[in-house]
Each structure stands twice: as structure tokens, then as C-alpha cells.
Amino acid sequence: MRFALYLMLLLFVGMCDAETTVSYYKCVTDKSTIFSQQPCSNSAQQYTLTHSDPQAQIPSEQHFKTLNELERKQIIHNLKHALRAKKQHAAILGRKRDEAARKQQRRVTRLMNDDKRQATVKDVKKQLKSINKNYLQKVKVLNKEIAKIEKKLKRLQ
């Protein structure tokens, strides 16, 4: 975001030596950030850019479109990183579940008498069921978050 503002400032400042002022509005919605010449909501923030040549005309091209495109690319970049992080989190959850399951199964392989072995097997089954249930709950939440991020990413691309 700041990069886009600095880019705009450099575009205007780099043109000339005297001062010209340009104002624009930034509106942040739940879906995106919009730059425009008029306020687009009650919460719009006004920004002013100044450059150095009053003789220089403001370019006819829409810099607001450039800012919107930069903001969209930044959002896409951030969503891709969030998606990768969620997928890594899912992989870590799977490894932790597998490790906990192996630990419980190792308990069964120890030498012990039959009564103690039956109690241990029963407890291991209970623990494995709990481990899998906990894993499935976390993965379900994680998959919903991944789906939401993928949906946003698809909408923006």
C-alpha cells in the first residue's frame, strides 16, 4: 500500500519543479481497497499528493486505476502467502497426529501380562479415537479457511 503511494508521489514529483496538488480518496471495504477522485463512503480518507511544476498538467491517464491494480496485486500476493501458510499448517497437524498415534501404538508393544495388556489396548484405542477426532476438527476448520482464501483469490484473479 505504501509502495503505491510512494509510486504516485514519485510520478508527480518527478515531473517538474513548481508545486501542484492533487487529491484523491481511499476507501477500504470488506472486499477491497478503492482509490477514487470522489469519496466513495463515509469512512473515505482523503490523501493529497504534491508535485513541483504548476505548469505541468495532470496526466489524462487514470492513476486511480493504477493504484487500484497495485492494491489488488498486493492483496493477491498476501492471499497466496496465507494459503501456503494454511496448507503448511495442515501438513504439520497431520505429522503431529501421526506422531501421537505412533506413540500410543508403541505402548501396546511393550511386554506386560494379559490383564494389563487388555487395559492398555482399550486405553490406546480411546486415545487414538480422541487424537483422530481432534485432528479432524482442526482440519475441518483449516479446510474452511483454505476454501475461503481460495475463493477470494479466484475472485481477484
Side-chain angles (χ1 to χ4, degrees):
M1 177 58 213
R2 288 186 181 177
F3 172 74
L5 292 176
Y6 290 130
L7 177 68
M8 287 295 295
L9 184 61
L10 287 175
L11 284 173
F12 287 120
V13 171
M15 288 183 189
C16 303
D17 291 338
E19 260 184 35
T20 300
T21 303
V22 176
S23 296
Y24 66 94
Y25 293 90
K26 175 185 172 187
C27 303
V28 179
T29 64
D30 58 338
K31 294 184 179 181
S32 65
T33 300
I34 300 169
F35 297 94
S36 68
Q37 295 170 330
Q38 294 86 20
C40 35
S41 70
N42 293 337
S43 63
Q45 296 174 330
Q46 182 178 10
Y47 291 92
T48 304
L49 294 175
T50 304
H51 71 87
S52 313
D53 185 8
Q55 301 298 328
Q57 296 295 321
I58 297 172
S60 61
E61 59 201 57
Q62 292 284 343
H63 289 292
F64 307 107
K65 291 181 181 178
T66 305
L67 284 173
N68 288 337
E69 182 63 22
L70 287 171
E71 182 73 15
R72 188 181 70 76
K73 285 180 181 178
Q74 184 178 11
I75 290 170
I76 288 172
H77 179 73
N78 291 341
L79 286 173
K80 284 181 180 179
H81 281 286
L83 183 62
R84 189 176 76 209
K86 295 291 181 186
K87 288 182 179 180
Q88 287 287 345
H89 189 119
I92 290 169
L93 282 176
R95 285 195 298 266
K96 286 183 178 179
R97 180 201 56 176
D98 294 343
E99 183 181 339
R102 281 191 302 273
K103 183 179 176 183
Q104 290 299 319
Q105 289 170 350
R106 274 189 231 121
R107 288 177 55 200
V108 176
T109 61
R110 294 186 184 132
L111 293 176
M112 57 185 90
N113 62 25
D114 288 340
D115 293 338
K116 192 169 183 179
R117 184 175 185 79
Q118 286 177 351
T120 303
V121 167
K122 186 176 180 180
D123 184 52
V124 165
K125 285 181 181 178
K126 182 179 174 184
Q127 292 294 328
L128 287 175
K129 187 175 180 180
S130 172
I131 289 168
N132 285 328
K133 183 178 178 183
N134 188 19
Y135 168 77
L136 290 174
Q137 286 175 345
K138 288 180 180 180
V139 166
K140 184 177 179 181
V141 170
L142 209 53
N143 284 337
K144 284 182 182 181
E145 292 172 358
I146 288 172
K148 187 187 292 186
I149 291 172
E150 286 176 339
K151 185 177 177 182
K152 282 182 182 179
L153 197 57
K154 189 174 182 180
R155 182 175 44 92
L156 289 171
Q157 288 181 335

